[in-house]
Amino acid sequence: MLLANRPQVTTDTPGNGLAQATCAQPPAMEKVPQRNNLAGVRHILLVLSGKGGVGKSTISTQLALALRHSGKKVGILDVDLCGPSIPHMLGVQGSAVHQCDSGWVPVFVDQDRSISLMSIGFLLERPDDAVVWRGPKKNALIKQFVGDVAWGELDVLLVDTPPGTSDEHIATVEALRPYRPLGALLVTTPQAVSVGDVRRELTFCRKTGLQVLGIVENMSGFVCPHCSECTNIFSKGGGEELARHAGVPFLGCVPLDPQLSQSLEEGRDFIQEFPKSSAFSALAHIAQQVLGRASQQSS
């Protein structure tokens, strides 16, 4: 259930008895124009995949950290409403979302306020509570997240999405379309099953007019914690082959690294603590390519 003493969501559908929000937001908040809260955001990038478990949230968090270490201010909008894992990955689970005159104030990950985060995970009374909502309620919350979060000045806003190509994705793209998103970053793993699902995500991007910034192959090999040798425990090259056939950029491979997994579990900054990791170099390279595409769009 949603906390009564935290900012509550409003929905545009009649109640159906499933995970109802008990408190409506203040009327003044509903009058805030959406453009005001995204006016200071220079670039918006969606992180997509047709398959679950490929590491979209991992790539989103590590890309945000890599961009921060490049001197950028980054926001993360977590629209994975049924599986909000990013608060845990960034070590801010249990934080509260507050209200200001412009809407909801996101949670800041660090003292410098260089990474801000908005997630439904901050609105749940208990972390194990399930969000049992039908599509219209999810869509209404996504629209509210887009319009009512006071991001301030950001270089990049990353939008972490759930698996698939359905309601949440359509609602997110439609809500963000007036702000001309930079595009989409697609995440896959090397296996053929994952690549096939991501191929459907490419079709989704074409149908919705969303530019594909590139494809990332996650879990591409396993880095031994003792000798640092990378072993391909899965197949390899599926993401690169998909990018070649689709005619979109291939941004790189990110290997499985026990140090990265531990950092995610403990909410630590992998980019800062393990600069010699092969996963670090891959993530830094992806971040630089994203910045390069953003610069091209700005020019």
Side-chain angles (χ1 to χ4, degrees):
M1 60 184 294
L2 294 169
L3 283 176
N5 62 342
R6 292 184 180 177
Q8 293 295 309
V9 298
T10 56
T11 60
D12 53 7
T13 56
N16 58 8
L18 299 180
Q20 296 294 322
T22 56
C23 299
Q25 66 182 36
M29 197 170 162
E30 295 176 350
K31 297 178 183 179
V32 176
Q34 289 190 5
R35 188 169 299 276
N36 284 355
N37 283 334
L38 288 174
V41 178
R42 297 181 60 192
H43 303 288
I44 301 172
L45 178 64
L46 287 82
V47 181
L48 303 171
S49 179
K51 184 173 178 59
V54 299
K56 291 184 301 300
S57 297
T58 297
I59 295 298
S60 295
T61 55
Q62 299 310 306
L63 181 56
L65 291 168
L67 290 171
R68 181 184 72 176
H69 287 292
S70 295
K72 305 301 180 182
K73 290 193 67 174
V74 188
I76 305 177
L77 176 57
D78 182 7
V79 296
D80 190 352
L81 304 182
C82 296
S85 56
I86 290 187
H88 179 88
M89 291 180 173
L90 291 176
V92 290
Q93 66 272 32
S95 299
V97 173
H98 303 286
Q99 290 181 345
C100 66
D101 292 340
S102 300
W104 292 348
V105 180
V107 170
F108 295 101
V109 174
D110 56 350
Q111 292 183 349
D112 295 334
R113 298 193 170 191
S114 56
I115 297 182
S116 51
L117 170 64
M118 185 61 189
S119 171
I120 196 175
F122 299 131
L123 305 178
L124 301 176
E125 183 177 6
R126 294 178 295 272
D128 294 334
D129 284 342
V131 178
V132 190
W133 284 355
R134 299 187 189 275
K137 281 185 173 292
K138 293 180 180 180
N139 298 347
L141 179 57
I142 289 171
K143 292 176 183 177
Q144 196 171 358
F145 273 177
V146 170
D148 289 346
V149 177
W151 294 105
E153 298 290 329
L154 293 178
D155 293 297
V156 181
L157 175 63
L158 300 171
V159 183
D160 184 56
T161 65
T165 57
S166 57
D167 283 356
E168 293 98 319
H169 306 81
I170 297 171
T172 301
V173 172
E174 288 181 348
L176 291 172
R177 195 183 302 279
Y179 310 103
R180 300 179 62 188
L182 176 63
L185 187 152
L186 273 56
V187 182
T188 185
T189 53
Q191 300 97 316
V193 172
S194 175
V195 170
D197 288 339
V198 176
R199 187 177 290 112
R200 299 183 185 96
E201 200 75 41
L202 284 165
T203 305
F204 169 83
C205 291
R206 286 196 293 267
K207 288 185 176 180
T208 57
L210 191 61
Q211 180 184 7
V212 177
L213 211 64
I215 295 176
V216 172
E217 183 177 292
N218 193 29
M219 307 181 193
S220 183
F222 172 76
V223 179
C224 176
H226 303 293
C227 66
S228 299
E229 181 180 350
C230 187
T231 304
N232 295 321
I233 56 176
F234 303 127
S235 57
K236 181 176 174 59
E240 188 172 6
E241 183 179 356
L242 175 61
R244 183 169 57 251
H245 282 298
V248 300
F250 180 67
L251 301 183
C253 300
V254 180
L256 284 167
D257 189 330
Q259 294 172 327
L260 174 56
S261 301
Q262 184 179 359
S263 297
L264 292 169
E265 288 291 332
E266 298 176 359
R268 291 157 51 200
D269 188 341
F270 168 79
I271 299 295
Q272 183 178 25
E273 295 187 16
F274 300 103
K276 295 183 179 180
S277 165
S278 56
F280 167 88
S281 58
L283 291 163
H285 179 63
I286 293 168
Q288 290 306 312
Q289 292 183 84
V290 169
L291 290 176
R293 295 299 296 271
S295 298
Q296 291 176 12
Q297 187 190 60
S298 300
S299 59

